[in-house]
Amino acid sequence: MEESNFIALSPSTRKILDRMKQAVSSDLPILFLGESGTGKSYLGFLFHSFCKDRFPQYQVFDFSVSESEEETSEIFSKLDGKAGVTIFLEAISNLNPSFQVQLLQKIRNEKGKNRYLLSDQPDLPEKVKSGRLQESLMTEIQTLQVKIPTLRDRKEDIPPLTRFFLDLIGKRYNRKNIKISEKLGKFLLEYDYPGNLHQLKNLLEAMVSMHNVKTLDTKHLPPELFETGYKQNDNLTVRTGIPLRDYEREIIRRNLILVNGNREKAARILGISERTIYRKITEFELFDSEDGKNPPSS
């Protein structure tokens, strides 16, 4: 894996890259914390590429799917006697307490011999309080933390990530130079991405596989995307002294632009009926002047 494949234009992701490079010379374990789909396993492999001179082998064990005690015991036995290995363990809070104790012992005993990388959800400290994660293990692994931002918190990275994913997907489907429209670009910047990087990649692949076009647009978005609305945006700017009616008009206008004038999709996002949004379009005169049906394009 090359560093150039890691998109780091936003301040938060640039800090991640710098922190990982600084951590190469240490023997301490690294704890990756991030929501599902933020790229924890990708960063684990990227870190291995930085330190593979000392730890040439790389092994991944994923505990996000619950294993039986026998299966977990077998996994731990595979780690015995290893040397020169970067060991990436995902969803460590799913381990039962006895295996957490074993993991703690292995991390302490193998320092400098193997490099341990661990990952979990951002609420790991809460899991310590609830007793799901051993406090002693958390104390051991918390010194070097890499907190991975959600995709909605690294919007500067969305355009280059889109191009990167489209290149990969285009090769898979034997399609070259797939582009996106300006409207779709705006949509991709505004969407909330509960599935983060995985959702962006899957969304683009769904459009490429379903529509054999050179330029993808908002009309090519899968309708299932609008079954649920956006999450509340804590960064929403609200100014005083502005009538509620003006806010309502602007919110409806922007969402109609976002979905290329599709009233049904806009209604789903806003949580209102299609009949209501049609009435609001008429009330606020949001019809396109050319055909009297669609909202303005800007």
Side-chain angles (χ1 to χ4, degrees):
M1 177 180 294
E2 297 180 359
E3 181 185 329
S4 59
N5 289 337
F6 178 58
I7 307 298
L9 295 183
S10 69
S12 56
T13 44
R14 287 199 298 268
K15 287 180 181 178
I16 285 175
L17 193 58
D18 291 341
R19 186 164 179 77
M20 288 172 59
K21 290 179 178 178
Q22 293 168 355
V24 169
S25 60
S26 171
D27 288 329
L28 293 171
I30 297 181
L31 176 61
F32 293 93
L33 295 177
E35 290 184 6
S36 298
T38 48
K40 297 186 289 294
S41 57
Y42 181 94
L43 288 175
F45 190 52
L46 179 62
F47 181 81
H48 166 65
S49 71
F50 295 159
C51 62
K52 60 183 178 183
D53 288 342
R54 290 184 63 200
F55 307 101
Q57 300 179 61
Y58 185 67
Q59 287 191 304
V60 179
F61 299 96
D62 186 0
F63 299 107
S64 58
V65 178
S66 297
E67 308 276 0
S68 67
E69 287 203 13
E70 288 184 2
E71 290 170 325
T72 304
S73 181
E74 185 178 345
I75 289 173
F76 270 73
S77 67
K78 291 179 180 178
L79 300 177
D80 292 339
K82 296 284 185 179
V85 184
T86 301
I87 300 170
F88 187 84
L89 304 178
E90 300 188 59
I92 55 169
S93 62
N94 283 358
L95 289 169
N96 70 34
S98 64
F99 286 115
Q100 290 182 25
V101 172
Q102 286 188 45
L103 176 58
L104 173 60
Q105 292 171 345
K106 293 185 73 64
I107 291 173
R108 287 175 174 172
N109 295 336
E110 298 176 16
K111 188 174 293 185
K113 182 180 177 182
N114 295 311
R115 190 67 188 267
Y116 277 87
L117 313 179
L118 309 103
S119 77
D120 216 294
Q121 295 287 316
D123 63 347
L124 200 57
E126 297 300 319
K127 292 176 181 177
V128 174
K129 293 179 181 179
S130 66
R132 187 171 172 184
L133 184 74
Q134 296 288 305
E135 186 174 1
S136 56
L137 177 57
M138 184 66 182
T139 302
E140 184 73 22
I141 66 178
Q142 68 180 348
T143 304
L144 286 182
Q145 291 187 34
V146 175
K147 296 180 179 179
I148 308 171
T150 62
L151 189 53
R152 58 187 173 273
D153 291 327
R154 49 180 292 204
K155 289 186 179 294
E156 297 95 330
D157 295 335
I158 292 177
L161 280 167
T162 299
R163 291 193 294 271
F164 176 72
F165 287 144
L166 283 176
D167 285 343
L168 289 178
I169 295 165
K171 291 176 182 177
R172 186 179 306 159
Y173 289 88
N174 197 25
R175 305 257 297 279
K176 295 182 179 179
N177 301 319
I178 303 171
K179 299 179 180 179
I180 63 171
S181 69
E182 182 178 351
K183 286 183 180 179
L184 180 57
K186 289 180 180 178
F187 176 91
L188 296 176
L189 282 172
E190 292 298 325
Y191 188 64
D192 189 66
Y193 298 105
N196 292 294
L197 292 171
H198 288 316
Q199 186 176 18
L200 174 61
K201 183 175 182 293
N202 291 341
L203 178 61
L204 293 170
E205 183 167 357
M207 290 190 285
V208 170
S209 64
M210 296 297 292
H211 303 281
N212 189 12
V213 294
K214 292 183 178 179
T215 301
L216 296 171
D217 193 22
T218 50
K219 64 185 178 183
H220 301 124
L221 289 165
E224 295 79 11
L225 193 68
F226 304 97
E227 292 296 332
T228 57
Y230 294 94
K231 292 181 181 177
Q232 179 179 347
N233 185 352
D234 293 334
N235 297 319
L236 180 65
T237 301
V238 177
R239 292 180 294 167
T240 58
I242 297 176
L244 180 61
R245 174 185 171 86
D246 291 350
Y247 269 115
E248 185 179 17
R249 183 187 189 280
E250 184 63 12
I251 289 170
I252 293 173
R253 186 185 74 84
R254 290 190 184 189
N255 278 286
L256 284 166
I257 291 171
L258 195 65
V259 295
N260 203 32
N262 187 304
R263 292 195 301 269
E264 182 182 0
K265 291 180 179 179
R268 288 178 181 174
I269 291 171
L270 294 167
I272 59 178
S273 68
E274 189 175 356
R275 183 175 180 178
T276 299
I277 200 169
Y278 184 81
R279 178 169 56 80
K280 293 293 184 180
I281 289 170
T282 304
E283 177 184 347
F284 295 135
E285 298 180 350
L286 292 173
F287 290 114
D288 192 313
S289 58
E290 293 183 0
D291 59 17
K293 296 180 179 179
N294 297 317
S297 58
S298 63

